[in-house]
Amino acid sequence: MRTRTWVIVVAAVFAVLQLANVSGRDTPDTKNYLSYALSLRGESKHDAAAITIEYACEGKASIARRNQSVNVLNFHGPSPTQRVMEECRRDQWRGVSKRLRAGETAGHTVPFMPPRFMRIFEVRPGYPALLVPFITVLGVKWGLWASSVVITVAGGVLAFLVLRTLRVSTRAALTGQALFYALPCGTTAMRPMTEGLLLTLTLAALWGCALVLEGRARAGTRLVGGSLAVLFTVKHSHALFLGLCLAGACAVIGARRAGFRQPWQGLDRPLRTLAVVAGGGAVATVLLAKVLHYPSESESLQDLLTAHFSHPDRTRVWPEFLHLEWDFWVEWLRRRLWEPLFLTAVLAAAWGALRRRPAFAGFLLAAAFTGVLNQAGHPDINIWGDRLIVLVWLLPVVGLPLLLEEVVRPRVRPVGGAVPGPVPGAVPGPVRRDTDVSDADASDTSEVAR
C-alpha cells in the first residue's frame, strides 16, 4: 500500500480502539475547560454548570458501574449508577450554587473552585476554543471524545512526519506513529485536558526543527514560530519552556561547532534564525503575560502549597517549595527505579537519537526536557499519574525508531573477505539505489503532509 494509506490505517485502528472508553476519561480539570468552551458557545453560567456537572457525573457513574461489575464480592449486585449520579450532582452543585449566589460570575469558567484557582484556567482559551465546534456538532460526550481522537491522531501523524523528514525508512516512521499511540503520551492525550494539545504542538515544533536541519528553513522556522504562538493560548508556561529549550539547543549546536566562547559563529543562517525565533518567542511570552496580568509564578506556588487555596497563604514560599522539590525528585526516582521501563526507554531513545541524528537530538532532548520543567514546577506526586512529565515520552517516540532502524537495517558485507569494489575488467552497469532513500520514498513526507 502507499505510505499515506498506511498512516491512515494506523490512525484508524487507534481511533476504533478508543471506542472502548468513550466516557470516564475526564479529570477534575476537564470541568473547567468544558465550562469555558460552553461559555464561548454562549451558554449562561447556570446552564454551563448544569451541562458540565452532568457530563462529569456520568463519567464517574460509568467508572463506578464498571468497577462494580468486576468486584469479586458484589459483581452480582445492583448497578450503582443512579446512586453515584445523585451523590455526584449533590456534591458538585453544593459548591457551585454557593459561589454563584455570592456573585462569582466573572470570566468564562464555572466557579467550581475559588476565584484565584479558576484564574489559572481563564488564561488558557486555546483548548476550550478548539472544543467548541466538536461539542456543538456532536454534543458534549461524543464531542469531547472526538476532539481527543483528532488531537491524538494528529500527534501520531506528526511523529511520522518528523521521522520521515529525518530520512528514516517508512517502516521506522510508522513505528514512531504507533509508539505515540501506544505509550503513555497517547493515553494522556486522549484525556480531555490540555496535555494532548501540548504534545501535538510540541511535535509540530520538532517537525519545524527537522525541516530547518534538512534545508527547508523558511517552512521550518514558520512552523516553530506558529507552534509557540498557539502554545501561548493553550498554556503559556509551556510556550516559555519550549522556546527557551529550543534556543538552548541551538546554542549547544553552535558550541559544538565553534566552541563555547563563540557559539553564534557555529550556527549557519537557518539555525541562527531558528534560535532568534525560539528565544524571541520565550521573551514575548514573558512580556505578554505581564501585560495581560497572567497569574505569576508566586501565585502558582501558593496554589501548589495551599492545596488550591484551601489553606492560608504560605509566608516562606520559596524555601518550602525547594524543600518539597528535593523530596519529590527523590521519591520520583525511587519509584522509577522500582519500575524502570520509563528510564530504560528514555536512555535507549536518547542514545539512538544522538548516534543517528546528533544535531536533531539536541532539539529532541530539549523538547523532552520541557516535561521535566513542567513537573518541576508542580512537584506533586499525586497529580493524576505522570501527566505533567508526559512530554518526556516524546523522546522514545522519535528516538527508539532511530535506534531500531540502525539495529535492523541490513548491512552490505563482503563475501569471502573480498574487498568491496568493482571487479577488474568488469563492465560497469547501472547503479542500484537504496530503496530506503529513493526519490519515491523520500516523497512520502510531502505526500502525507498534503
Side-chain angles (χ1 to χ4, degrees):
M1 291 190 292
R2 299 178 64 182
T3 301
R4 183 186 302 175
T5 305
W6 276 115
V7 173
I8 295 174
V9 167
V10 173
V13 169
F14 169 79
V16 171
L17 293 178
Q18 301 317 299
L19 291 171
N21 291 280
V22 177
S23 60
R25 296 179 184 266
D26 56 297
T27 72
D29 288 353
T30 302
K31 299 195 302 291
N32 304 319
Y33 294 119
L34 176 57
S35 65
Y36 198 132
L38 291 169
S39 177
L40 292 177
R41 196 179 69 173
E43 304 288 347
S44 65
K45 278 288 187 295
H46 187 276
D47 291 343
I51 297 172
T52 302
I53 289 174
E54 197 69 14
Y55 170 79
C57 291
E58 285 180 0
K60 190 174 182 178
S62 175
I63 294 175
R65 178 183 57 78
R66 296 200 299 263
N67 290 340
Q68 183 267 342
S69 67
V70 292
N71 188 299
V72 294
L73 298 178
N74 195 32
F75 63 90
H76 49 69
S79 173
T81 300
Q82 188 63 31
R83 173 180 57 81
V84 172
M85 284 288 295
E86 293 175 356
E87 293 176 355
C88 177
R89 289 169 181 153
R90 183 168 58 252
D91 293 341
Q92 293 292 332
W93 275 112
R94 184 183 297 116
V96 171
S97 299
K98 180 180 178 180
R99 294 188 178 95
L100 289 177
R101 287 195 299 269
E104 296 180 15
T105 57
H108 293 283
T109 57
V110 171
F112 291 103
M113 296 287 285
R116 290 175 67 187
F117 177 72
M118 300 308 299
R119 174 64 179 163
I120 297 173
F121 295 90
E122 289 288 341
V123 299
R124 301 176 182 176
Y127 179 60
L130 176 67
L131 294 180
V132 172
F134 288 95
I135 63 176
T136 301
V137 175
L138 301 175
V140 170
K141 177 181 176 180
W142 286 100
L144 286 176
W145 177 87
S147 65
S148 298
V149 169
V150 169
I151 291 170
T152 311
V153 164
V157 173
L158 283 168
F160 174 89
L161 291 172
V162 168
L163 288 164
R164 288 299 295 133
T165 302
L166 296 175
R167 301 178 185 274
V168 304
S169 65
T170 302
R171 291 181 180 180
L174 288 170
T175 300
Q177 181 188 5
L179 283 174
F180 182 84
Y181 299 146
L183 291 176
C185 47
T187 305
T188 303
M190 277 300 300
R191 291 189 178 277
M193 301 182 296
T194 56
E195 275 69 23
L197 206 49
L198 295 182
L199 286 163
T200 298
L201 290 171
T202 302
L203 278 169
L206 281 176
W207 187 25
C209 295
L211 289 172
V212 171
L213 291 175
E214 293 298 322
R216 299 176 61 184
R218 180 175 297 181
T221 304
R222 289 178 177 176
L223 190 55
V224 172
S227 299
L228 292 175
V230 178
L231 277 170
F232 181 85
T233 69
V234 178
K235 192 176 182 182
H236 70 280
S237 61
H238 185 70
L240 172 63
F241 294 155
L242 185 59
L244 288 175
C245 289
L246 293 181
C250 291
V252 172
I253 293 173
R256 286 183 65 244
R257 295 176 178 177
F260 287 96
R261 293 184 178 181
Q262 295 178 327
W264 189 254
Q265 301 300 323
L267 298 177
D268 53 21
R269 184 175 180 180
L271 284 177
R272 289 183 182 183
T273 305
L274 179 60
V276 170
V277 169
V283 173
T285 297
V286 174
L287 295 178
L288 196 55
K290 292 288 185 182
V291 171
L292 298 176
H293 303 291
Y294 279 11
S296 63
E297 63 276 3
S298 60
E299 189 75 355
S300 179
L301 296 184
Q302 290 289 359
D303 168 54
L304 172 72
L305 297 173
T306 61
H308 305 316
F309 306 107
S310 60
H311 297 277
D313 282 7
R314 301 294 182 95
T315 57
R316 301 174 65 251
V317 177
W318 284 104
E320 292 187 12
F321 173 75
L322 294 176
H323 187 174
L324 177 62
E325 192 79 48
W326 172 263
D327 292 342
F328 170 84
W329 287 111
V330 170
E331 175 62 16
W332 182 89
L333 182 60
R334 186 191 67 81
R335 297 188 183 191
R336 297 290 79 77
L337 294 176
W338 184 13
E339 300 175 351
L341 174 62
F342 176 81
L343 294 178
T344 303
V346 167
L347 292 175
W351 170 255
L354 288 168
R355 183 176 176 84
R356 293 296 311 280
R357 298 291 188 274
F360 179 77
F363 295 114
L364 180 59
L365 289 168
F369 188 65
T370 61
V372 177
L373 293 175
N374 193 29
Q375 181 69 81
H378 306 80
D380 188 346
I381 207 74
N382 297 313
I383 300 183
W384 286 89
D386 295 327
R387 70 177 178 88
L388 293 176
I389 203 172
V390 70
L391 285 147
V392 178
W393 282 104
L394 293 181
L395 188 54
V397 167
V398 179
L400 287 182
L402 291 172
L403 179 64
L404 292 174
E405 186 184 37
E406 181 175 355
V407 173
V408 302
R409 178 187 289 273
R411 292 183 173 87
V412 179
R413 299 176 182 268
V415 180
V419 177
V423 178
V427 178
V431 178
R432 180 181 179 272
R433 300 180 63 186
D434 188 356
T435 56
D436 279 341
V437 293
S438 65
D439 291 337
D441 200 28
S443 66
D444 290 342
T445 304
S446 58
E447 177 186 344
V448 176
R450 290 196 299 271

